[in-house]
Amino acid sequence: MKQKLAHYVAFSILSLMLVGAFLYATKPVHKEDYIEITVASGDTLWELAEKYSGSHNLSTHEFIEWVIDVNRLTNEQIVAGEKIVIPVLKSEGKELVASNQ
């Protein structure tokens, strides 16, 4: 009987952890919290990830996946003149503008 109870408790805890992880992973991104940039001629997502590396805590791969997902891109191709949201908070973006002046 104790073993069945232990299995039930363990299963319940694991189920709650799984649901919590799913809810956390599917939390929507509020685009208005992040900076939007206009893609320049010759820009690539790889280069943008490197350029803004001090303003986000993502690997290059995670940066690219984030941009593709949030902007609903079909692949890694970006086009000059296209506006995309990048994973840099607007508060960080203000510091970038100030430091570039």
Side-chain angles (χ1 to χ4, degrees):
M1 182 71 174
K2 287 184 181 182
Q3 190 175 18
K4 284 185 180 182
L5 180 62
H7 284 202
Y8 176 76
V9 170
F11 178 75
S12 297
I13 291 171
L14 289 174
S15 296
L16 288 173
M17 289 174 60
L18 182 63
V19 168
F22 177 76
L23 292 175
Y24 178 77
T26 59
K27 184 172 73 171
V29 171
H30 299 286
K31 285 185 175 183
E32 60 275 1
D33 294 339
Y34 296 91
I35 65 170
E36 180 180 78
I37 63 166
T38 302
V39 176
S41 180
D43 278 350
T44 66
L45 292 179
W46 180 274
E47 290 169 340
L48 292 174
E50 294 298 317
K51 179 179 180 179
Y52 293 98
S53 63
S55 301
H56 63 81
N57 295 320
L58 303 173
S59 69
T60 301
H61 177 73
E62 290 169 332
F63 180 98
I64 292 169
E65 290 298 317
W66 191 98
V67 172
I68 289 171
D69 183 48
V70 170
N71 293 283
R72 301 185 193 276
L73 303 175
T74 56
N75 55 42
E76 294 181 16
Q77 300 285 327
I78 52 176
V79 179
E82 179 179 24
K83 292 183 185 246
I84 59 170
V85 177
I86 61 171
V88 175
L89 292 171
K90 284 187 176 177
S91 59
E92 293 287 328
K94 289 177 186 173
E95 292 173 15
L96 285 173
V97 171
S99 68
N100 289 336
Q101 293 179 349

